[in-house]
Amino acid sequence: MSRRPRILHLDTGRELRGGQRQLAILAAGLDAEGCEQTVVLPTRAPLAARLPDSPRLRVLELPLRGELSPAALGGLRAVLKGGGFDLVHAHTAHAVTPGHLARLGLGTPLAAHRRVDFPLRRHPLARLKRGWPDLWIAVSQ
């Protein structure tokens, strides 16, 4: 029997909106398939209470304040280095940067998720981050 993938989900939302609800549904489905998951959230994010209670699912709260928070990046990097993850899944546009920076040099693929149809800003960082994920998952063009 082959090993189920280990997934690190990264969501920067401090509220409970559609994207966070979708992540809770995805986590429950992957848990039912036997996948090991770690969900990284901002401190006191309401999504933590919506996630399945499972020995295969770990919730980790980090001080995710901005895309370049040194404390969050250090914590995320340590989790990735020690976790043997097969995938980092950035569930918000603001999660792409810390997800990408934390995985540098580790060889862990990054998937990014867009649920809205408005384009990423034309800010230089937004233009850069378009090319960082190995895979974009979108529900629109």
Side-chain angles (χ1 to χ4, degrees):
M1 186 166 139
S2 65
R3 175 179 79 77
R4 298 283 187 213
R6 297 197 67 198
I7 301 167
L8 186 140
H9 300 280
L10 179 58
D11 189 283
T12 57
R14 297 179 183 282
E15 62 285 320
L16 187 63
R17 295 171 54 178
Q20 287 75 32
R21 286 184 178 96
Q22 287 178 355
L23 173 49
I25 292 166
L26 176 63
L30 290 171
D31 182 61
E33 292 293 321
C35 294
E36 291 187 39
Q37 303 171 83
T38 297
V39 181
V40 178
L41 303 170
T43 306
R44 293 184 299 282
L47 173 58
R50 292 283 187 110
L51 294 167
D53 182 18
S54 168
R56 290 179 300 276
L57 192 140
R58 178 177 135 189
V59 177
L60 177 62
E61 294 180 347
L62 291 176
L64 296 168
R65 293 183 185 92
E67 294 186 46
L68 299 172
S69 165
L73 287 174
L76 187 56
R77 175 82 176 176
V79 170
L80 273 174
K81 283 177 86 170
F85 293 97
D86 298 298
L87 179 71
V88 175
H89 187 163
H91 286 268
T92 63
H94 292 295
V96 172
T97 300
H100 171 67
L101 294 176
R103 73 173 182 135
L104 286 176
L106 300 177
T108 309
L110 174 66
H113 202 144
R114 293 285 290 170
R115 295 174 184 85
V116 293
D117 64 354
F118 58 85
L120 294 173
R121 293 184 195 167
R122 288 177 171 55
H123 184 276
L125 180 59
R127 285 195 300 269
L128 275 174
K129 79 166 83 174
R130 283 182 225 171
W132 290 340
D134 298 289
L135 169 72
W136 278 97
I137 302 167
V139 294
S140 63
Q141 293 178 356

